[in-house]
Amino acid sequence: MRRFLVRAAALGVLLAGLTGVPGAAAATGPVPLAPADLTGSVANTGISLSWRQPAGGPAVASFRVYEGGVAVRRTATTSAPMQYIGVNTTHTYTVTAVSATGVESAQSAPFTGTTWTPGMAPQCTEPAPTTVFDVTSSALSVRWTVGRSSPLLALSVNGRDHGIVSGTSLRVGGLTPDTSYAVALRRVGCGSQEPTVGYATTRTLPGTTNTTAAPRDLVVTGRSDRSIALAWSGPTDGSYVHQYAIYDGAYRVATSWTRSATVTGLFHGTGHRFTVAALNVAGNESEHSPVLSPSTEPCPAQPPAPARVSASAVTASTVRLDWTLESTATSYTVLDGNTVVATVTEPAAVLTGLASASTHQLRVVGLLTGCTDTPASAPVTVTTLPGAADRPAAPAGFQAGRATIADGYYADIPLSWSTSAGLTYRLYDGATVVGTYPAGAVTLRTRGAERHVYRLTAVNANGDESAPSGPVEVITPFLVAP
C-alpha cells in the first residue's frame, strides 16, 4: 500500500522547495511596493509576524517571508505565525510582496526577534520604541513596537488620555497649529504604576484650526476578503464638513464626500483599526471618531493552486514530491490519480513502499482551515526506478519514550522500534532523512520548543523501503525558568 512521509523541518518553519530569493522569479510587469512596518510578537515557541502593504503600485496577490535569503513562508495575507522555531533562538526576517503576475518587490526592512523561556520574558519596563510622523497643522501619526511584555498599551498626547490602543499605530487629529506635543505610551496590566515605555515629541505645522466635532457612530456595512465597507454619522454640532478622511491605524486609506466609504486593497483574515476625521476646506482634520476594529472575511475568495510541483524517483520503491503554495495551508492532500496517498503539513512528501518501475500521476490540494480547499495543482508524472519486487514490512512498535531535558534549551528524545534480521531502518523527520540505523533504538538531541514528526521505514539489502510506520509527533520540552 502506498504510504507517505510528512516533512516537519527541524525548526518547524523551513518549507521545502521555497528556496528562491527576491527578484529571482522569471516574471514581467510592474514591481509592487515593498511591505512596510514589519513587526513581530515574540513568545517562547515562536514569533508571530505582521506587516502593512502600502497603497499604490500593482495589486498584490501574496507575500513571501525570508530568513537568511531563503523563503520560509508564503502567505496571501499580511501575517505569518512562525511556530516551533526553538526556544532562545534569534531570527531575522524580511518580507516581499508578489503581484498577480509573479513580480516580486524589494525586501521590507528586517525584523529580528529572540524567542524566550517563560519566566525570562522582559519586564513591564521593556521599551516600546515610538515614532511620530506625517505631522500637519492639525494631526499627527504615531507608530510603536509592542515588544514581549504586556501588549496592552495606553496612549496619551499632551496628557490627554486616548485609552488602550490596539495594533501598532494610530492617527490623532483635532490638534492646535504651531504647538508642541508630547506623545507617551504606558504599559497597562503591569501593576499600579503603568510605566511609560514609549515617548516622542513633535510640533504641529502653522495653519488654521479645525474645530469641527468628531464624526460618530462608525459601523461596518459590508465586507469581503479584500474590502470593508464603512458608514458613519456626521459631527454632533451639525457644522459643515468639506470631506471625510478614513484612517487605518496611522495611515489614510480613503477619503469620501459622503458619510460612507469602502476600503479596498485589503487581505483576508486581517484586523484593522479604522477611524474617521472631518476635513475642512483647508484639509485640516477634526478629532477622530472612536476606533472601530473589524476584520476582513477569513477565507480567500479565490485561493491559488499549489504550483512548481516536481517529483523525482529516489529508488525503485521511493519518490519525492515538492511544491509551493502562495497562501497559508494547514495541510496538503497528495493524490495519485484520484486516490489519496498522502496528507502532509508542509509542501514536501516522500512516498515509499511503491512498486518497481511503476508510474504515478501526482497532484496536490491545499487544505485551508475553515475555508474551501485550493484547486488541485497541475499533475506531475513520475516513474520509480526498475528493481526487485519484494518490499519489507513496515516497522512495528515505533514509539517515542519520555524526553529528558539535557539543559535549559535542549532535550533528548528516545525512539525505539522492533527489528527484523537483515534489515536496516531509515528515520525521517517529515520528508528529511535523519539517519539509517541497524539497531532498534536511537536518542536524538533537539532544541526545546521544536515540533518533529518522525516516521520509520525498513530497508532491505536492495535498498528498497517499506511503507512507513505510523507517525510519532514530538514537541520538545524545555526548562521553564523560575
Side-chain angles (χ1 to χ4, degrees):
M1 181 176 64
R2 295 166 188 158
R3 299 293 299 275
F4 63 90
L5 292 168
V6 184
R7 179 176 192 258
L11 293 182
V13 295
L14 298 180
L15 307 186
L18 309 188
T19 55
V21 295
T28 58
V31 179
L33 299 177
D37 300 344
L38 174 62
T39 188
S41 176
V42 183
N44 58 324
T45 61
I47 300 173
S48 294
L49 300 175
S50 62
W51 56 90
R52 179 180 62 88
Q53 182 57 31
V60 171
S62 64
F63 300 91
R64 295 174 188 169
V65 179
Y66 285 84
E67 182 176 15
V70 176
V72 294
R73 183 62 54 87
R74 296 172 188 253
T75 180
T77 191
T78 54
S79 62
M82 313 304 289
Q83 297 176 322
Y84 301 118
I85 57 178
V87 70
N88 195 41
T89 56
T90 299
H91 304 267
T92 298
Y93 298 107
T94 58
V95 179
T96 63
V98 183
S99 72
T101 60
V103 178
E104 195 167 8
S105 75
Q107 295 186 53
S108 68
F111 171 82
T112 299
T114 301
T115 58
W116 45 272
T117 301
M120 298 179 65
Q123 301 302 308
C124 288
T125 55
E126 182 196 12
T130 302
T131 302
V132 176
F133 63 102
D134 194 15
V135 179
T136 68
S137 63
S138 60
L140 57 84
S141 288
V142 187
R143 183 174 59 239
W144 59 89
T145 299
V146 172
R148 292 180 288 181
S149 297
S150 166
L152 298 179
L153 294 171
L155 175 71
S156 63
V157 178
N158 269 16
R160 180 176 177 179
D161 192 358
H162 289 262
I164 295 174
V165 286
S166 61
T168 57
S169 70
L170 190 69
R171 182 73 169 175
V172 178
L175 306 182
T176 303
D178 198 21
T179 301
S180 295
Y181 282 90
V183 175
L185 282 166
R186 68 183 188 278
R187 211 175 285 282
V188 180
C190 292
S192 58
Q193 293 186 343
E194 295 188 352
T196 297
V197 293
Y199 188 79
T201 60
T202 191
R203 190 175 188 89
T204 52
L205 300 179
T208 58
T209 301
N210 185 345
T211 59
T212 304
R216 54 197 169 88
D217 304 327
L218 179 61
V219 296
V220 173
T221 58
R223 65 174 185 163
S224 72
D225 64 320
R226 299 298 298 261
S227 66
I228 295 178
L230 302 170
W232 56 90
S233 300
T236 55
D237 60 4
S239 56
Y240 170 75
V241 176
H242 180 67
Q243 199 176 23
Y244 292 96
I246 300 92
Y247 282 83
D248 187 357
Y251 303 95
R252 185 178 292 190
V253 291
T255 56
S256 176
W257 300 103
T258 66
R259 293 191 294 273
S260 65
T262 298
V263 182
T264 60
L266 309 179
F267 299 89
H268 72 89
T270 58
H272 298 273
R273 297 166 298 279
F274 293 120
T275 60
V276 178
L279 305 181
N280 62 17
V281 175
N284 297 317
E285 298 175 37
S286 70
E287 289 190 10
H288 285 228
S289 67
V291 175
L292 179 68
S293 300
S295 296
T296 52
E297 290 289 346
C299 300
Q302 295 180 321
R308 301 180 184 89
V309 183
S310 63
S312 58
V314 180
T315 68
S317 63
T318 304
V319 300
R320 179 179 173 113
L321 187 67
D322 293 276
W323 62 90
T324 63
L325 178 67
E326 298 290 339
S327 189
T328 302
T330 54
S331 64
Y332 302 89
T333 297
V334 179
L335 302 171
D336 188 352
N338 293 318
T339 303
V340 175
V341 293
T343 300
V344 301
T345 57
E346 297 191 25
V350 176
L351 310 179
T352 66
L354 306 177
S356 300
S358 59
T359 299
H360 307 271
Q361 189 176 65
L362 304 174
R363 296 177 298 149
V364 181
V365 174
L367 308 179
L368 310 180
T369 300
C371 305
T372 58
D373 298 343
T374 72
S377 69
V380 61
T381 300
V382 62
T383 301
T384 57
L385 301 178
D390 62 311
R391 300 287 181 267
F398 181 52
Q399 62 183 344
R402 183 185 179 89
T404 58
I405 296 175
D407 61 28
Y409 303 133
Y410 292 87
D412 291 331
I413 303 172
L415 302 172
S416 61
W417 57 90
S418 301
T419 60
S420 298
L423 299 177
T424 57
Y425 297 88
R426 184 162 297 150
L427 180 65
Y428 287 84
D429 182 359
T432 301
V433 176
V434 177
T436 301
Y437 308 96
V442 65
T443 297
L444 304 177
R445 176 162 291 187
T446 64
R447 200 171 191 97
E450 291 180 353
R451 177 180 178 268
H452 302 273
V453 179
Y454 297 112
R455 281 182 172 85
L456 192 71
T457 63
V459 184
N460 63 19
N462 295 324
D464 293 321
E465 293 182 77
S466 70
S469 68
V472 170
E473 180 176 342
V474 176
I475 297 177
T476 51
F478 51 91
L479 185 64
V480 177

